[in-house]
Every structure is written in C-alpha cells, then in structure tokens.
Amino acid sequence: QVQLVESGGGLVQAGGSLRLSCVASGIILSIYTMGWYRQAPGKQRELVASITSGGSTSVADSVNGRFTISRDNAKNTVYLQMNSLQPEDTGVYYCNAAYLHMRYWGQGTQVTVSS
C-alpha cells in the first residue's frame, strides 16, 4: 500500500518560514518525480515545485527565490522549504509522486500565513 504523509504545515506570520516534509512508504521514492502542489480556497490546485529522479528542480514563478524543493532518497522523503511566506501562500499543500502512469497523492497539510 502506497502512502504519502505530509507534515510541517501550520500558522505563520508573513515573512516567516516553514519546512514541509513528505514521507513515502510502499514505493521506491528515488525513481519518482516528486511535486508539491497547493490549493487555496476557491482556487484550483497548482504545482508549486517539483524535483525529478535525477535531482532537477523547478518552481513556480510565484515562489521562485522563496521556496526550495529537495529530496532525501535514503529517507524516502521530499521537502519544501518555504521562506518569506506571504498571505497568498495560504492553502493546503499536497505531495505528489509520479512515475510513468502511476501517480499518488498525500492527504495534504494546511499552511496559513497571517498578515
């Protein structure tokens, strides 16, 4: 059974930082492209950052320079370091694992940034 479990969300003031973690079980995380998505109230889910099996990363323009994605394959874990958080970063953050036709999602972790 595949599970992705996110943690690290919470309430933070604007300008603050959080680090999200996503621990995978039931898959060999190293072969997957991992992504962090977020969904704000009333909006569609959007890709925030991704990292390939080879370690190449990309981030959305809206978080470029503030968010960093990384992975520790030995721990089957992917991280999202979020700095200089702004109220518009508020939402539920989801971890995603993708390989060929397979895609898995975590249950999400809430991030709330107060102004």
Side-chain angles (χ1 to χ4, degrees):
Q1 182 181 358
V2 178
Q3 278 192 313
L4 301 178
V5 180
E6 300 100 332
S7 62
L11 173 64
V12 64
Q13 288 188 332
S17 298
L18 287 172
R19 188 175 84 152
L20 306 183
S21 299
C22 170
V23 180
S25 59
I27 60 172
I28 302 173
L29 186 136
S30 62
I31 68 173
Y32 283 76
T33 291
M34 301 299 297
W36 284 98
Y37 291 71
R38 70 183 177 194
Q39 188 164 19
K43 294 188 177 182
Q44 288 190 331
R45 192 173 297 188
E46 62 174 348
L47 177 63
V48 174
S50 65
I51 184 166
T52 67
S53 59
S56 297
T57 63
S58 73
V59 296
D61 289 343
S62 59
V63 305
N64 192 23
R66 300 187 298 122
F67 290 11
T68 303
I69 187 170
S70 62
R71 64 194 301 159
D72 185 337
N73 291 332
K75 296 182 178 179
N76 247 28
T77 302
V78 63
Y79 304 98
L80 185 67
Q81 178 66 44
M82 306 186 294
N83 299 326
S84 302
L85 283 161
Q86 300 301 316
E88 53 265 34
D89 295 318
T90 293
V92 180
Y93 283 70
Y94 298 91
C95 177
N96 173 269
Y99 178 69
L100 299 179
H101 63 283
M102 295 177 287
R103 298 199 76 176
Y104 303 102
W105 291 93
Q107 82 290 348
T109 185
Q110 176 71 44
V111 172
T112 303
V113 185
S114 63
S115 57

